[in-house]
Amino acid sequence: MFILTVKNSAGQIVHKRNFESGSFVIGRDDGCDLVIVSAGVSRKHARIFTQQNRCLIEDLASANGIIVDGQKVIGQRDLGTASQIQIGEHFLFLHQNDAKFDIGATLFVTDDDQHCKLVRINDGFAGEEYNLSEVGNTIGRIDENFILLSDNSISRHHAQITRTGFIYNLSDLQSSNGTKLNGKKIKKSVELTPGDRIEFGNLQFVFVMGGTEVNLKDYREVKRSPLPIVVIGALIFLVVLFLAFSSNDVEVENNDDTPQKVEEPFATKKARALKWIASKEYTKAIPLLRELRAVEDGLEINTLLENTISAEKSGKLLNEANRLIEADEYWAAIDILKTVETGTPARKVADGQIQKLENMLATRYKNEADKLTIAGTRKSLKKAHDEMRKALSIKKDLKWIVQMRAIESRLKKEKIRFIKWKKP
């Protein structure tokens, strides 16, 4: 059985309908099956119907359209087991009575800020935004994809970005021209981090949080002049030197044919340390850098050592945070992420994770408040107030504040004691 609950802009329930099959029209006309009197609702606005045990919604050429889970509906859309529908100023919550409200499956949101998005860069359509509001956001050249990209370099079914809770993963769907992440072609599913650059064929995008405003100037490609011949020569020399002294110690023979060990050259050790740093093998690089510092206690080696120690520490913190996230200990993960050193590359990753976690938690509290408000008992209304307080402690959303006031109005009407929420 499907349950459809309709709430007005003040968060008050104005309709509730249970159904297993059939079709009904929503609009402001008296002849509609579900009448919503609002200037933002067309006479015949939408149709909700069932098909093969699924529930779908269809836009009946309405003036203001339909928004489902933050995305405008074009034609028809499958509502899954739980969705939030916006028609005019009203919100419709649909779910199956046996469905669990899993944040990883459906996010009830009132704006696009809750989802990450792709922003197009470096071409004539730079600035176009695509909200990744689906669990599976397919990208391709034909209409059945969630994100349609009309370009000859894009395959019919090119790639997909899947959302599991607050984690987004990118995968290529065996496209002709491939998919690149930060300049490297991907072969398997990879997790995305805000700020990542993605290429589908010849088209380029940046992956960011929903509320982020992208400055396109920051992503303009600058043609770089070739490296001077002197620099190229120096690089070739270093490579040759590295290959010549690839082991820690090299045996040479003296005049009396007695083998002796010669200490590995400083430049070779440094090259090896840099190689380990590049491959993130910090535990190997740190002892070697300490050896180099004992020989040459200069600014370059000291800075390199400090940065490597910091990177190793940050990596351990990020791994610990991921472990806590997998264990659903989100607040503990946030506390760990906040300790990542400021000014390091890992700090940017940590900030992105914190933002996603906080958005997820705020939305989870808000969703729980919705369910408790719909239940409508004295006990559930009191709990709904507590959940909305938690949500607003993270995110001061104007619509959520309106909903909080509506809950408090009902509490007051029911003569239930509560502590009034005050905006900080």
Side-chain angles (χ1 to χ4, degrees):
M1 177 183 291
F2 292 97
I3 302 171
L4 181 67
T5 304
V6 183
K7 297 167 67 176
N8 60 22
S9 59
Q12 299 170 323
I13 298 174
V14 293
H15 294 287
K16 191 170 184 179
R17 177 185 289 254
N18 300 340
F19 61 96
E20 290 185 356
S21 60
S23 170
F24 55 94
V25 175
I26 302 170
R28 73 169 190 270
D29 192 288
D30 290 339
C32 293
D33 301 298
L34 180 56
V35 179
I36 299 178
V37 182
S38 172
V41 178
S42 298
R43 294 173 63 83
K44 290 185 177 180
H45 198 108
R47 180 172 74 101
I48 289 181
F49 61 99
T50 57
Q51 186 179 84
Q52 297 178 344
N53 297 321
R54 296 182 302 148
C55 190
L56 299 92
I57 191 167
E58 179 184 13
D59 189 344
L60 300 178
S62 63
N64 297 311
I66 305 166
I67 305 295
V68 174
D69 294 339
Q71 195 75 24
K72 188 171 183 178
V73 173
I74 305 298
Q76 297 180 357
R77 167 140 174 183
D78 191 336
L79 296 174
T81 59
S83 287
Q84 177 184 267
I85 308 158
Q86 184 176 355
I87 295 178
E89 296 179 350
H90 287 65
F91 288 91
L92 293 74
F93 298 87
L94 180 133
H95 66 94
Q96 288 182 300
N97 61 348
D98 59 345
K100 294 181 180 180
F101 285 80
D102 182 4
I103 193 69
T106 300
L107 288 174
F108 285 172
V109 297
T110 56
D111 53 50
D112 293 335
D113 288 359
Q114 299 297 322
H115 301 298
C116 288
K117 63 184 178 182
L118 294 177
V119 181
R120 193 161 169 172
I121 56 175
N122 286 331
D123 63 21
F125 297 95
E128 285 189 351
E129 297 186 356
Y130 301 87
N131 293 304
L132 303 171
S133 58
E134 296 292 276
V135 172
N137 303 274
T138 55
I139 299 121
R141 201 177 68 245
I142 59 177
D143 291 340
E144 60 191 63
N145 289 284
F146 183 67
I147 296 176
L148 176 63
L149 299 176
S150 300
D151 189 271
N152 291 334
S153 67
I154 304 299
S155 297
R156 291 165 59 84
H157 300 283
H158 196 103
Q160 178 170 270
I161 296 176
T162 56
R163 172 174 57 80
T164 306
F166 48 88
I167 303 297
Y168 291 78
N169 285 278
L170 170 68
S171 55
D172 183 77
L173 301 179
Q174 297 182 337
S175 62
S176 299
N177 295 308
T179 302
K180 292 181 180 180
L181 177 63
N182 297 324
K184 295 183 179 179
K185 186 174 284 190
I186 64 170
K187 295 181 179 179
K188 59 182 181 179
S189 178
V190 291
E191 184 179 337
L192 295 173
T193 299
D196 282 343
R197 294 180 65 164
I198 304 171
E199 296 175 51
F200 305 113
N202 296 331
L203 306 185
Q204 299 181 32
F205 299 82
V206 59
F207 173 79
V208 295
M209 297 297 296
T212 303
E213 291 189 12
V214 173
N215 185 352
L216 298 176
K217 292 181 180 180
D218 295 340
Y219 295 93
R220 285 179 182 169
E221 291 186 336
V222 179
K223 292 185 178 180
R224 301 182 183 274
S225 58
L227 286 172
I229 295 175
V230 175
V231 176
I232 294 174
L235 290 173
I236 293 173
F237 172 77
L238 287 174
V239 171
V240 172
L241 191 64
F242 173 76
L243 293 174
F245 298 96
S246 57
S247 61
N248 289 347
D249 297 307
V250 182
E251 289 192 351
V252 298
E253 294 185 358
N254 61 6
N255 293 332
D256 58 2
D257 295 329
T258 303
Q260 292 183 345
K261 287 188 176 181
V262 176
E263 181 68 22
E264 184 182 16
F266 184 92
T268 308
K269 282 188 176 181
K270 182 179 175 183
R272 190 151 50 87
L274 291 172
K275 181 182 177 182
W276 280 335
I277 291 170
S279 60
K280 297 183 179 180
E281 296 181 76
Y282 304 124
T283 53
K284 292 182 179 179
I286 289 171
L288 192 54
L289 287 170
R290 284 178 174 149
E291 287 181 29
L292 293 173
R293 186 177 62 176
V295 176
E296 185 181 298
D297 192 12
L299 178 62
E300 181 186 4
I301 296 299
N302 275 304
T303 302
L304 196 57
L305 177 59
E306 290 173 5
N307 290 342
T308 306
I309 292 172
S310 175
E312 182 190 37
K313 181 181 177 182
S314 298
K316 289 179 179 179
L317 290 172
L318 292 175
N319 289 336
E320 176 63 13
N322 287 333
R323 185 191 67 77
L324 291 168
I325 290 169
E326 290 174 2
D328 294 337
E329 297 180 34
Y330 303 119
W331 284 115
I334 289 172
D335 289 339
I336 290 288
L337 291 167
K338 286 180 177 179
T339 64
V340 174
E341 187 177 347
T342 303
T344 63
R347 178 74 255 175
K348 184 179 179 181
V349 176
D351 288 339
Q353 286 287 72
I354 289 170
Q355 189 175 1
K356 286 195 287 186
L357 285 167
E358 289 183 340
N359 281 337
M360 182 275 293
L361 288 167
T363 306
R364 175 173 287 184
Y365 296 140
K366 163 71 166 51
N367 292 344
E368 185 64 22
D370 287 341
K371 290 193 292 180
L372 291 165
T373 304
I374 290 171
T377 66
R378 290 173 63 89
K379 186 176 181 180
S380 68
L381 286 173
K382 187 72 167 60
K383 288 184 177 179
H385 187 265
D386 293 337
E387 293 300 310
M388 280 304 299
R389 185 183 293 276
K390 292 178 187 176
L392 289 169
S393 70
I394 301 171
K395 183 177 179 181
K396 307 300 184 295
D397 185 283
L398 181 59
K399 292 178 181 177
W400 292 8
I401 293 173
V402 171
Q403 182 172 337
M404 172 62 105
R405 297 309 182 204
I407 292 172
E408 291 185 338
S409 177
R410 290 185 64 181
L411 287 168
K412 189 175 181 181
K413 185 178 179 180
E414 296 288 337
K415 296 181 180 179
I416 301 171
R417 296 181 64 182
F418 66 96
I419 299 174
K420 187 175 181 180
W421 179 80
K422 293 182 181 180
K423 185 177 179 181

